[in-house]
Amino acid sequence: MPNQATIDSNRVHTFVSWSTPAGNRRSAPLYVATVTNPYLGRVRELKAKSADELELKVNECVAKWRDQESRKRTVTAQKDAKERARAEAIRLDVEAKRALNELKALLNDTLAVDDRINWESEHDTRTYPEFFYPEPPKRPSPGELSLPPEPGWAWLFRGRHRRWVSECEETRTIFEEAESSAKQSWEKAVQEHKAARDSAYKDHQEKRAAFLAGQREFNNAISALRERFEANEPRAIIEYCSRVLERSSYPETISVRHDLDFEGESGTLVVNLELPSADDLPKASGYKYVVKGNLPTPVELKAKERERLHAEVLDQVVVRTMHEVFESCYTSGVQRVIVNGWVTSLNKATGQDERSQVRCLASDRGAFESINLSRVEPAACVKMLSENVGGMSGAAR
């Protein structure tokens, strides 16, 4: 609803006319007012034989237009509010559908990603900034000595000549002292600049040395990790796979955490995943605009739809994790992978959080790499891989 400060755009201009349209002088003045309202696009000229009569007409016109403007502004504001609400409903609807589509494409989205770590890109190749310091102050330009003019006929009047010589000597002395003072100030400024520059350069070199030392240490650690991983050291395999899974990009609507263990003798990597609960997933399939209330309203997913969505997400995440591990591990160290999926959710009967294992699947490298993940049904794939768990150790934690 517009406030009082915005519902009155009326402007009034008054004047007194003593002339007729023909240019003749009137016997009595004519009082004239021009009333305009830019918001309504209205202009009206009012005439009266007295100031009081004109004021009455102006007030009537202004009151009428003020009421019209108020109603129009109210209608416009309501229309604008509806348009904003409709636009917001559209925006939220697009976001909600995008979020659901992202969850349904968790597996397919990772197939185009090369999960192997690019060792070269892991190195820190930054260069330390070059040293820079402002230039020293420039030497001041020499001044110009301006001596007083020699008085006329000074050679005839010795007193006048002596005074002129004295004035010249005094002027020259003042000039030379000023020049000397300026030179000393400049020399001092140059010395201070050099000292400050030397200190800044020393600080820059110390920081540069520290930066390069840290950079070498970091890059050496990356190279060492690569060597250890390619030598199939268990701890290096765990660190490498942790880096791979940490980089796995999931939608903002879900969170996936992992914990790894590796059995060197069998070449089995065990991945324990903390998966989102059904309550962590989006609850709306979209949004619509509802006239009553003038608000965007969520279209809630039904209970069965939410259960189905949750199952789809879990199936995709566990298969995706196994794919990322096998694809990224280009050495012979990891031959088998076991993925355990855990969910912590609220037990509505006890009011307590309960953690339970909801997925468990296993596969060796050869069997998994023969699967065409771009064409599988994640639930069917999980069911098949779950049947392999009994023959592998470390299936559950």
Side-chain angles (χ1 to χ4, degrees):
M1 180 70 180
N3 56 44
Q4 184 63 33
T6 64
I7 63 173
D8 191 354
S9 299
N10 294 298
R11 300 291 181 268
V12 180
H13 173 66
T14 62
F15 64 95
V16 179
S17 175
W18 284 90
S19 300
T20 66
N24 300 320
R25 182 174 177 79
R26 297 178 183 275
S27 59
L30 181 67
Y31 295 86
V32 183
T34 302
V35 185
T36 61
N37 187 303
Y39 185 80
L40 296 176
R42 304 283 297 275
V43 180
R44 187 175 179 183
E45 187 178 75
L46 303 173
K47 299 178 180 179
K49 295 180 178 181
S50 67
D52 291 340
E53 180 185 358
L54 181 64
E55 183 180 1
L56 180 61
K57 289 184 177 181
V58 167
N59 289 339
E60 289 177 352
C61 180
V62 167
K64 179 180 178 181
W65 285 3
R66 181 185 295 123
D67 183 60
Q68 292 177 1
E69 180 181 347
S70 177
R71 290 198 301 270
K72 184 176 179 180
R73 285 186 181 274
T74 299
V75 171
T76 301
Q78 292 173 346
K79 183 178 179 181
D80 290 344
K82 289 180 181 179
E83 291 302 321
R84 287 195 298 271
R86 286 194 181 95
E88 180 66 4
I90 293 173
R91 185 187 68 81
L92 292 174
D93 186 67
V94 170
E95 289 185 357
K97 288 181 168 57
R98 177 185 56 80
L100 290 182
N101 289 334
E102 287 178 344
L103 294 179
K104 294 177 181 179
L106 290 175
L107 179 57
N108 284 334
D109 284 350
T110 195
L111 299 181
V113 178
D114 185 356
D115 294 303
R116 292 175 297 179
I117 288 181
N118 184 333
W119 294 108
E120 295 304 321
S121 66
E122 290 296 295
H123 285 85
D124 185 356
T125 58
R126 294 174 299 162
T127 58
Y128 197 75
E130 295 294 329
F131 176 73
F132 171 80
Y133 201 78
E135 293 294 324
K138 293 183 179 180
R139 182 169 186 165
S141 302
E144 183 176 351
L145 177 62
S146 178
L147 297 176
E150 182 178 2
W153 304 98
W155 55 277
L156 289 176
F157 304 98
R158 294 182 179 181
R160 183 183 297 178
H161 181 72
R162 284 196 299 270
R163 286 195 299 274
W164 173 73
V165 170
S166 177
E167 288 176 2
C168 288
E169 291 177 352
E170 183 179 357
T171 301
R172 185 177 288 106
T173 300
I174 294 173
F175 173 79
E176 290 174 351
E177 289 177 351
E179 288 290 291
S180 176
S181 176
K183 181 181 178 183
Q184 291 175 2
S185 298
W186 170 72
E187 290 175 346
K188 181 180 178 182
V190 170
Q191 292 175 355
E192 292 175 347
H193 177 274
K194 183 178 183 303
R197 184 188 184 283
D198 292 344
S199 176
Y201 182 74
K202 180 181 178 182
D203 182 65
H204 175 270
Q205 291 299 95
E206 290 175 352
K207 291 180 178 178
R208 180 177 181 273
F211 170 82
L212 294 177
Q215 189 179 61
R216 283 193 299 272
E217 182 180 357
F218 177 84
N219 290 338
N220 290 339
I222 294 295
S223 299
L225 174 61
R226 178 178 183 175
E227 292 178 2
R228 290 166 47 227
F229 171 74
E230 293 179 347
N232 294 329
E233 290 187 14
R235 289 188 179 181
I237 288 176
I238 291 176
E239 183 176 350
Y240 176 88
C241 292
S242 291
R243 287 174 177 247
V244 170
L245 297 182
E246 285 170 0
R247 297 177 184 203
S248 186
S249 178
Y250 284 95
E252 296 179 355
T253 51
I254 64 172
S255 174
V256 178
R257 293 178 291 112
H258 65 272
D259 181 60
L260 306 181
D261 192 16
F262 182 68
E263 296 178 358
E265 293 183 3
S266 63
T268 301
L269 182 75
V270 181
V271 183
N272 288 288
L273 294 176
E274 297 294 333
L275 301 169
S277 68
D279 291 334
D280 295 327
L281 301 182
K283 298 176 176 59
S285 63
Y287 279 78
K288 63 181 180 179
Y289 171 72
V290 178
V291 177
K292 185 178 181 180
N294 193 36
L295 292 171
T297 303
V299 180
E300 300 284 350
L301 287 167
K302 297 179 181 179
K304 289 185 177 180
E305 292 175 330
R306 292 180 62 189
E307 291 177 5
R308 184 164 57 251
L309 175 64
H310 187 227
E312 289 178 4
V313 168
L314 299 186
D315 290 337
Q316 290 184 87
V317 172
V318 292
V319 175
R320 168 176 169 153
T321 299
M322 185 172 285
H323 159 75
E324 290 170 340
V325 170
F326 276 132
E327 183 179 71
S328 64
C329 293
Y330 56 88
T331 68
S332 60
V334 177
Q335 291 299 316
R336 300 173 184 82
V337 174
I338 298 172
V339 179
N340 300 312
W342 302 83
V343 169
T344 300
S345 57
L346 174 66
N347 185 325
K348 295 181 180 180
T350 64
Q352 301 294 327
D353 287 334
E354 292 184 354
R355 185 171 181 267
S356 57
Q357 186 176 16
V358 293
R359 294 291 186 276
C360 184
L361 57 155
S363 179
D364 59 32
R365 180 182 288 274
F368 188 82
E369 290 179 346
S370 67
I371 300 173
N372 187 348
L373 294 178
S374 65
R375 301 179 65 185
V376 300
E377 177 65 37
C381 187
V382 168
K383 181 179 179 182
M384 179 187 69
L385 296 176
S386 298
E387 296 173 355
N388 300 331
V389 173
M392 297 187 182
S393 59
R397 183 174 62 179

